[in-house]
Amino acid sequence: MAAIKNILVTGANGQLGSELSVLAPSFPQYNFFFASKEELSIANETSVKQYFAANNIDCCINCAAYTAVDNAEKEREAAFAANALAPGYLAATCKEHNALLIHFSTDYVFAGDSRAPYNEEDATAPLNYYGETKLEGEKAALQNNDTTIVIRTSWVYSSFGKNFVKTMIRLMT
């Protein structure tokens, strides 16, 4: 893999993408491309390929996702497109461009009944459609590009957007 110069951050308007945009100026050696879903439909393979070719992307940090856990049951097509199809498209395109993909996933890929912390070797068993789509996205990303890095996280919180921490603070005041 060549030296990383151009970094694409998908989901630019979400919590993770917004936090990365705050941090980016601290890394002037990199050119960051922050793409919102309006600027780049990562669920459209052709759009992904065109964006990578036009911008010579060396690394993609996929912060984009369908995150409305409860609504995923009703909006299955949108959840599947963002969480399952898109990571596969990004991974395949990264492989074509010899680029690194860092993909964010969730602990919802597990059953949630373990008394010990989960690790990457533990069996997956999603309890809802959201978790199923995120697991399918992990699989697609890893199958399409074996250098993909998958980061599973539980709570995402930041100063941007809606999140659990902000909700609890609001309810306590």
Side-chain angles (χ1 to χ4, degrees), residues 8-44:
L8 168 62
V9 178
T10 62
N13 294 336
Q15 290 183 77
L16 288 173
S18 295
E19 289 292 344
L20 288 177
S21 72
V22 170
L23 295 172
S26 299
F27 299 91
Q29 68 271 35
Y30 302 109
N31 300 316
F32 285 90
F33 297 83
F34 290 91
S36 67
K37 62 183 172 185
E38 292 79 22
E39 296 163 323
L40 172 60
S41 173
I42 60 171
N44 180 309

Side-chain angles (χ1 to χ4, degrees), residues 49-104:
K49 289 179 182 292
Q50 290 172 345
Y51 195 95
F52 270 69
N55 295 293
N56 197 27
I57 300 300
D58 300 304
C59 176
C60 176
I61 304 173
N62 183 25
C63 300
Y66 182 98
T67 59
V69 176
D70 295 334
N71 289 341
E73 300 295 335
K74 295 177 279 192
E75 299 176 0
R76 293 171 83 87
E77 193 172 301
F80 189 82
N83 295 344
L85 292 178
Y89 296 153
L90 289 170
T93 305
C94 279
K95 186 172 185 170
E96 290 172 18
H97 289 264
N98 199 31
L100 174 66
L101 174 62
I102 301 170
H103 173 66
F104 282 90

